[in-house]
Amino acid sequence: MIFKDRGIEIKTREQILAMRAAGLVVGRTLELLRDAVKPGITTGELDAIAEDNIRSSGATPSFKGYHGFTGSICASVNDEIVHGIPGERVLAEGDLISIDCGAIVNGWHGDAAISVPVGTVGDDLLELARICEESMWRGFAAAKLGGRLTDISAAVEAHVRANSSYGIVEDFVGHGIGSAMHQPPNVPNFGKPGRGPKLVEGLALAVEPMLTLGKQDNHTLDDDWTVVTDDGLAAAHTEHTFTLTPQGPWVLTSLDGGAAKLAELGITCGALAD
Ligand code: MG
Ligand code: MG
């Protein structure tokens, strides 16, 4: 079913379970990549690990061929915010890499990203990555059936503002997801609560804050993909796909459905039984 007025796709229970299958492929792939990240490895090698794992799981890498993108992951290092193309770049001690990954199972999508330190990384970058991930979880915790979409946006922004002076990237936002990777509605990482579409069962959203150590201003490199900060300072990016059930948020790309992180925030995970 599609709400025609806004083009928002509402998934059935079975479709959400299919999205969970895709989400688990993405989650497991990202954990493999987290373990593989070390000084000396190339982003192309990480991409090969991702593609092998996605395909051997019976899934399809959704990024590969997406508007001509050549990788199965986006690999964005340091001042690269998002959409870095995997290739010959060799990771160095002290880098911060964000890895974004998507997979399709039986036509249903999962999309998630992690920011991973390469070897020993400065406290400034670790803090940036930590606040970025925490702000995403605050977003899930703020999502309630009957609430509004920007309740998520406001919770992400509030956590960033309360804990840092980081930039919040405004040019790129989270999104609806389901039978396509990118669907309405947009999910901004900033704004006032209580606005936008109502949060209902069957809605699935990718929440993905992008934070910068300096200003959020950015531009795209000549490769037409890689988005970098104008000031050359580092960025972090974290993403999960989630849905809402009567029990609470269910983070479809998190291996435990988000149970542990949500519990830290006093929220029950809304995982459905298979
Ligand atoms: Mg993504
Ligand atoms: Mg996304």
Side-chain angles (χ1 to χ4, degrees):
M1 175 177 58
I2 301 265
F3 286 138
K4 292 270 189 289
D5 56 335
R6 295 197 179 103
I8 294 174
E9 185 182 69
I10 298 301
K11 270 65 82 170
T12 64
R13 185 179 191 282
E14 289 66 35
Q15 290 167 342
I16 291 292
L17 290 172
M19 289 187 69
R20 173 58 168 162
L24 284 173
V25 173
V26 172
R28 289 177 185 137
T29 302
L30 286 173
E31 288 313 308
L32 272 181
L33 296 174
R34 188 194 300 279
D35 290 343
V37 165
K38 58 178 187 293
I41 198 167
T42 68
T43 55
E45 288 169 328
L46 294 174
D47 184 62
I49 292 169
E51 182 168 3
D52 285 352
N53 192 63
I54 292 168
R55 292 199 191 280
S56 69
S57 305
T60 305
S62 46
F63 293 8
K64 195 140 188 160
Y66 183 86
H67 295 286
F69 193 76
T70 52
S72 295
I73 59 170
C74 296
S76 308
V77 183
N78 297 341
D79 64 318
E80 298 170 352
I81 303 171
V82 285
H83 304 163
I85 304 170
E88 299 305 308
R89 181 164 184 164
V90 179
L91 295 183
E93 184 95 21
D95 285 344
L96 180 68
I97 180 174
S98 103
I99 304 171
D100 197 339
C101 179
I104 311 167
V105 172
N106 295 328
W108 295 92
H109 286 250
D111 184 11
I114 53 176
S115 280
V116 186
V118 182
T120 303
V121 170
D123 287 343
D124 54 345
L125 295 189
L126 291 177
E127 179 79 351
L128 179 70
R130 184 174 69 81
I131 300 290
C132 190
E133 186 182 0
E134 284 178 0
S135 70
M136 173 189 67
W137 286 101
R138 295 287 175 146
F140 300 137
K144 306 270 177 0
L145 289 179
R148 294 283 178 173
L149 183 134
T150 66
D151 298 348
I152 300 168
S153 312
V156 170
E157 178 175 11
H159 187 71
V160 177
R161 301 283 182 237
N163 291 281
S164 74
S165 55
Y166 300 143
I168 298 176
V169 174
E170 296 184 359
D171 295 333
F172 300 89
V173 294
H175 49 92
I177 179 169
S179 63
M181 180 161 58
H182 294 129
Q183 299 181 326
N186 283 345
V187 185
N189 297 302
F190 55 91
K192 295 193 166 80
R195 297 180 179 181
K198 203 174 232 185
L199 300 175
V200 296
E201 276 190 83
L203 186 65
L205 302 172
V207 176
E208 47 180 318
M210 289 146 265
L211 304 185
T212 58
L213 212 48
K215 291 200 164 69
Q216 60 115 353
D217 306 271
N218 61 80
H219 61 280
T220 303
L221 297 183
D222 288 342
D223 65 16
D224 287 336
W225 283 103
T226 313
V227 178
V228 301
T229 58
D230 286 354
D231 60 17
L233 295 176
H237 173 217
T238 309
E239 177 179 24
H240 270 307
T241 297
F242 92 113
T243 190
L244 280 168
T245 76
Q247 286 70 43
W250 187 18
V251 184
L252 300 170
T253 45
S254 177
L255 298 185
D256 73 350
K261 294 280 190 184
L262 291 168
E264 288 174 18
L265 299 172
I267 301 290
T268 303
C269 172
L272 293 173
D274 292 332

